[in-house]
Amino acid sequence: MLNSGPPESVCHSLTVDVEDWYHVCGAEILPDYRRQTRVVAATRSLLELLRGQGSRATFFMLGEVADAFPDLAPAIVADGHELASHGWSHRLVTGLTPAEFRSELERTAAVLKQQTGCTPLGFRAPRWSLDRRKTPWAFEILKELGYRYDSSLTPLAAIGDPNGPRVPHLIMTSQGSICEFPPLVAQSLLGNLPVGGGWGFRSFPYGMIERALTSYQLAGVPGVLFVHPRELDPDSPRLPLSLIKRFLAYGPRTGSGERLKKLLANHTFKPLVELLDRVPLYPDTSL
Ligand SMILES: [Zn+2]
């Protein structure tokens, strides 16, 4: 990492993937699950937490959730947060054709625009499923549709590229560049650890997350945290998954809200779109 400017000028970003308790990639969605929806209540309590901390975040909204609950996206915007896109159906991008991916983006943007007047400028793929080698066309489509940034590449083994950049960087398309914001990770002898969100955020010692965030801050780059509303809703139902998948999706959740509050109190956070002109963007040399 390179130094750029005094650490106190660095803002981090909290991002939220707005989806229901059953939107776990690869799991079948049964009609009964939709009747047990929790996403509105869980998102509203997250909004309340953020209001209490005076913090603003980026909300990657799933199109089908916005469509089913038309008051939710306007409530997010009314609190001053950024509305971005998480696609429509929560299918992995690696399982979509370019035409299907374009359609997911267009449907989601249309419903968000119609409900709030806002056009999403950022995208996050379900389960970090953009891939520089397998889905290079996805970045072309994002750029063509006017997206300014993406946050779908993670430097983690198994679900991303462990050798990929850990800091914001530029991805080139035939029509110009698009900014990529990877999630916060902690470096260790075992490789990058997922302290910025998901099971890592919920399970690692709090001090590890704090130290990772501070190390990014000292290097002059933002740390990107991510949460799902279900992670702040410990009483939500659980899908009948394998033990490991259950842990990853629903593991210990009771401390998530308090962790989040502490981090928000100790550091400065802004929506991703507001970091675009503030962060050093490194050209990507990984390909
Ligand atoms: Zn998701």
Side-chain angles (χ1 to χ4, degrees):
M1 289 189 194
L2 301 174
N3 271 313
S4 98
E8 61 269 24
S9 69
V10 174
C11 295
H12 302 293
S13 195
L14 171 67
T15 64
V16 183
D17 294 358
V18 184
E19 59 194 54
D20 224 314
W21 61 272
Y22 52 78
H23 285 114
V24 176
C25 287
E28 188 188 357
I29 299 176
L30 303 179
D32 190 43
Y33 298 163
R34 296 189 194 279
R35 288 191 280 274
Q36 302 176 59
T37 179
R38 312 269 294 193
V39 68
V40 173
T43 305
R44 284 191 182 275
S45 66
L46 181 55
L47 287 173
E48 200 178 310
L49 184 155
L50 294 174
R51 221 175 293 133
Q53 299 296 311
S55 297
R56 292 183 303 117
T58 293
F59 284 72
F60 290 101
M61 195 85 190
L62 199 59
E64 68 167 38
V65 167
D67 190 48
F69 306 104
D71 294 338
L72 194 53
I76 291 167
V77 172
D79 274 9
H81 302 291
E82 179 195 3
L83 210 51
S85 173
H86 196 34
W88 183 269
S89 64
H90 215 254
R91 288 168 66 197
L92 300 183
V93 177
T94 40
L96 300 174
T97 65
E100 286 171 333
F101 179 60
R102 181 187 293 272
S103 163
E104 291 244 343
L105 290 173
E106 287 177 340
R107 275 182 89 185
T108 303
V111 82
L112 295 181
K113 173 90 177 163
Q114 184 258 322
Q115 291 175 348
T116 67
C118 300
T119 300
L121 297 175
F123 173 72
R124 174 171 291 148
R127 208 179 70 192
W128 317 101
S129 58
L130 283 201
D131 188 298
R132 299 291 306 279
R133 292 171 181 84
K134 291 181 195 156
T135 61
W137 44 264
F139 293 98
E140 297 288 336
I141 293 171
L142 284 168
K143 184 72 186 175
E144 192 188 318
L145 295 181
Y147 284 80
R148 292 192 63 200
Y149 72 89
D150 174 68
S151 183
S152 308
L153 300 182
T154 181
L156 291 172
I159 53 169
D161 176 2
N163 300 312
R166 290 176 291 118
V167 297
H169 56 281
L170 293 173
I171 289 182
M172 292 309 296
T173 73
S174 63
Q175 299 168 79
S177 61
I178 186 165
C179 178
E180 180 66 35
F181 285 105
L184 176 79
V185 293
Q187 289 181 287
S188 80
L189 292 175
L190 299 171
N192 293 327
L193 299 174
V195 295
W199 68 270
F201 180 82
R202 303 191 308 265
S203 308
F204 286 121
Y206 174 81
M208 266 180 77
I209 306 168
E210 184 70 57
R211 279 195 296 279
L213 213 46
T214 302
S215 77
Y216 277 53
Q217 197 160 324
L218 290 170
V221 293
V224 177
L225 301 180
F226 65 95
V227 296
H228 302 85
R230 64 172 171 268
E231 295 182 283
L232 294 143
D233 181 17
D235 301 324
S236 79
R238 297 174 177 216
L239 290 174
L241 304 168
S242 66
L243 266 181
I244 180 75
K245 280 192 174 171
R246 265 172 93 98
F247 172 76
L248 296 179
Y250 305 114
R253 288 180 282 178
T254 45
S256 299
E258 286 311 309
R259 286 183 166 213
L260 206 48
K261 278 189 202 169
K262 251 168 111 173
L263 290 167
L264 293 171
N266 291 348
H267 302 270
T268 308
F269 287 80
K270 284 187 185 296
L272 283 176
V273 71
E274 294 178 25
L275 300 187
L276 281 172
D277 300 323
R278 299 175 54 110
V279 298
L281 293 170
Y282 303 99
D284 179 19
T285 52
S286 67
L287 283 186

